[in-house]
């Protein structure tokens, strides 16, 4: 039985460092690599891509709003023309760098505010889908499990992979508990690992009210922005391996 | 007998318009399209690429320094790592947009200060060459006729196309007369057209001192940033046609 | 009887030109000068400020979202901390350039999406108000006549000047007809001038349904982004002068 | 006997953190605060300014080239018009934020490549001087001890404070040993502290060849970009205090 682990990488920018890409690349099977709009400078991205290529980690284009100052976390309302152009541009730039690094982009994961927006906003969702179709319809779209985007993208003939968040609490309906609510973020590495093993094997997560909720996810998102986060991701990987699960990307790598 | 005419296009940015891309695409056989670092926003670039694709105009990546405020016209000294990354990123981004527009990038023309720098600076020249080799060694490099870059790039196995500037005066050595000097820029469309026909047919240009100088150029650069410039480019094209020359890109288009 | 005419100026950016600042400065009594976040580079802003200083035109800080690519016209949701910081930064930058130009900033007019947002959004409205209070409580806030911001800012002890838009249709309730609706933008310079004279003298505008609506505005916004716009603004100024009105800023200039 | 200690602060940008401003503000008497062009976002700058104001630390505008991706460390050749505008803009922006933080800007320290360039380039040096004169001639310019800029700025009637670098080796002529040379950077906190005490008390530093060289500096630059750097700065302050020196800014704070 296979499961994919993904994480956001390549998010340094010039003199500013973020995350421990090298450590995370030993843990994950898929790397969501920043494309320069919310984070990532070309030279730094290229370094991360080379390190990912060496380890056979799959590459996703982590496309975001054009907002370095806000790290792509602020809602924006680009026109469709703008959003389509911005997404194609970012994917193309990463494809170019990936080629130079001896690997290739196999999927697209929208970042931050764009990710959250298209989980519910069909217009921007369509823009992202149209952009992917325009540049390469074989690219897989990574989307929030249970979101409207999953159906929207599949209806448009895109291959979709759904993801769950290792450290987040879920509602009885299978949605993420809002970060504004108490208990929305989990901190115990052991508990997190156990929940994720159960989700992979049984397709359920214990919701915040104690009930079981179905979550259908082929990939699990972990973070690498602090020592604690890296340790948590490491523990998850170990637990998966101990449980007989194979950590493997949902796409072939280059 | 064939000759290529090229021009800088796609240089609008958001609300700011520059040049008349539509008019110029009826004149040129090659479009140097901005890649977002010195000019060009993705939606605008995509529009220009679509218009170029419709007319069968060849697409070049007009790569520049990361300097929107200075339009890529200010000298900079990026490290090799930075410059290589920036050039690959820009080419990749344009390749992605070109694919979405139903065409492809066939050559690379450095822009502004980068163009001038690598005509004489071997370190930055090597960075640009390495970047092209890393993303796609079949891309043609467009370089200033007579510059050191021509030999440097050919020695690195790149295909090089050399260009002349229609409206510029030349020294007896075949170099451009510096813009700071009197008479460096020509304004008479008829004279310009005649000089270029002679250059194409005989391989010589009358230098600023009246002597003839050899200029070996397969492409001619024209501008489209004013009504006068567009008219001058139009006259050049007519003159070429009347002289039995075929205006054709040096590369196949998509 | 006095009336102020204001317009958006200083909106060029590097190599990209926008508007005819020189022509507009002969027409308006108040210049909303871009501060670099949605438009305007320092050297260009400084030039506009010097030209405004020569003519005794009052200077307003035209503060916007940090969004050059979108010209500040796209909705964004900065945190309060970010928005307060961004507004203070922009006002301070313009104050510095104004001092160098021999003039001073006397008012603040939010731009584009920020302007529209704070007409209805109290949180962002409070952020802008707090920013002004933090840097200089004597700065006047220019706000849309009839918007909630007017009361909100006055309650916070700011001096507020309300403005009407010369070329826009009004609802019977005194609000702007949405740009998405037919007839929302007027094009006849003579009609526009007559409507504005009536508004200044009688405090009413004929609404889109033919009824009269009260509009209480001390300043009138005109555009300068095309030849037609400049001509329309010129006609408005003439009409005011012929009607015995004095075009004068609502604040003393330096 | 007084001596000033200065450090570069406010250099975070959005989600990217840099340095430990809080720790450094307990050590230094002068804070060179980023102005947004090479580093620093308004909200983060404001926070640093408030912390500096609480501790009575003097504020300098750390102005740089417009180059976030290169952290202002790459040489650029802006025109005089551009550089003057950029410097005024940055100083004004910081003045605005400083006012909001209850303090004020008392000096200007150029950053990175601009700092190095104007130590030897009179044209750009004049641009920076002209910018300071245009916005506020009472601002002190902080310059490299022994550089041509010191005389150039004094000849233009600016007050100049010269600085030495605590962790750098000096040539027998009193210049910094190039970072490219071996031994150019010192690492022993005790040795560094002793050298600086001697420089303050006797006006000399032991050069890299063992001879004594005169260095006339009223301020000493320390770094805060790593734990080791902070510890080194702390040791320097202690040593100064033990040696009977008073750490005090060369300007009055607000």
């Amino acid at each position: 039985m296979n499961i994919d682990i993904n994480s956001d990488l390549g998010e340094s920018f010039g003199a500013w460092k973020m995350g421990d890409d090298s450590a995370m690349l030993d843990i994950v099977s898929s790397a969501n690599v920043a494309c320069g709009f919310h984070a990532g400078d070309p030279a730094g991205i290229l370094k991360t891509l080379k390190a990912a290529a060496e380890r056979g980690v799959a590459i996703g284009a982590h496309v975001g709003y054009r907002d370095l100052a806000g790290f792509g976390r602020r809602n924006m309302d680009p026109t469709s023309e703008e959003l389509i152009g911005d997404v194609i541009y970012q994917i193309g730039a990463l494809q170019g760098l990936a080629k130079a690094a001896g690997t290739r982009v196999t999927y697209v994961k929208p970042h931050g505010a764009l990710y959250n927006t298209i989980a519910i906003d069909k217009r921007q969702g369509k823009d992202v889908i149209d952009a992917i179709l325009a540049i390469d319809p074989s690219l897989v779209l990574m989307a929030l499990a249970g979101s409207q985007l999953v159906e929207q993208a599949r209806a448009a003939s895109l291959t979709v992979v759904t993801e769950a968040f290792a450290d987040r609490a879920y509602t009885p309906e299978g949605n993420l508990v809002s970060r504004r609510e108490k208990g929305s973020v989990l901190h115990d590495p052991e508990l997190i690992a156990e929940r994720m093993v159960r989700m992979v094997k049984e397709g359920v997560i214990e919701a915040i009210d104690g009930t079981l909720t179905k979550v259908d996810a082929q990939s699990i998102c972990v973070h690498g922005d602090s020592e604690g986060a890296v340790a948590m991701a490491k523990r998850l990987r170990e637990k998966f391996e101990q449980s007989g699960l194979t950590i493997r990307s949902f796409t072939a790598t280059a």
Side-chain angles (χ1 to χ4, degrees), chain A:
Chain A
M1 206 169 183
N2 298 333
I3 184 69
D4 178 63
I5 305 180
N6 78 78
S7 191
D8 301 345
L9 300 175
E11 293 189 325
S12 294
F13 185 73
W16 294 284
K17 302 305 163 200
M18 184 177 286
D20 184 347
D21 283 12
S22 185
M24 291 306 289
L25 284 168
D26 288 334
I27 297 171
V28 301
S29 40
S30 291
N32 320 313
V33 182
C35 302
F37 270 40
H38 79 277
D41 62 279
I45 294 170
L46 187 55
K47 226 178 278 181
T48 294
L49 289 168
K50 284 179 180 170
E54 282 169 18
R55 292 163 175 88
V57 171
I59 305 298
H62 203 202
V63 298
Y65 290 132
R66 190 182 188 115
D67 180 19
L68 275 178
F71 203 71
R73 288 177 179 153
R74 305 189 289 197
N75 289 327
M76 287 186 70
D77 68 341
T79 64
S80 291
E81 216 181 13
E82 288 169 340
L83 185 51
I84 292 170
D86 286 358
V87 170
I88 297 172
Y89 183 96
Q90 291 178 77
I91 295 172
L94 197 70
Q95 284 178 330
L97 291 165
K99 188 149 180 241
T103 181
R104 63 192 183 90
V105 177
T106 52
Y107 69 98
V108 176
K109 175 173 169 179
H111 162 81
L114 178 60
Y115 183 91
N116 294 329
T117 295
I118 64 176
I120 52 173
D121 180 319
K122 286 200 176 186
R123 195 273 293 178
Q124 290 201 27
K126 182 175 187 314
D127 296 338
V128 170
I129 291 165
D130 287 350
I132 296 171
L133 292 172
I135 186 169
D136 183 358
S138 77
L139 289 168
V140 175
L141 175 65
M142 186 180 281
L144 178 65
S147 68
Q148 77 81 25
L149 180 64
V150 178
E151 289 320 305
Q152 187 185 15
R154 285 181 178 150
S157 300
L158 280 187
T159 304
V160 178
V161 154
T162 57
E163 69 170 338
F165 288 81
D167 66 350
R168 292 291 295 276
Y170 279 78
T171 68
E173 293 76 30
N175 297 319
L176 296 176
V177 174
S178 164
R179 278 181 184 279
R180 278 182 294 254
E181 290 184 37
K182 227 182 129 175
S184 62
V185 179
L186 308 179
H187 300 285
D188 177 354
E190 203 53 38
L191 175 67
I192 287 170
E194 281 164 14
R195 285 163 60 87
M196 287 298 110
V197 169
R198 186 169 188 184
M199 190 210 67
V200 176
K201 294 203 166 177
E202 306 174 27
V204 293
I205 287 183
E206 190 181 302
I208 200 164
D209 68 349
T211 61
L212 286 185
T213 180
K214 281 193 186 173
V215 175
D216 174 26
Q218 292 87 48
S219 184
I220 292 168
C221 185
V222 296
H223 306 298
D225 50 350
S226 68
E227 273 185 49
V230 174
M232 189 181 287
K234 216 171 202 163
R235 181 70 196 111
L236 181 66
R237 183 178 177 103
E238 286 167 3
K239 190 82 177 182
F240 278 164
E241 288 170 342
Q242 290 160 6
S243 308
L245 298 173
T246 304
I247 290 100
R248 180 181 294 175
S249 166
F250 49 88
T251 63
T253 57

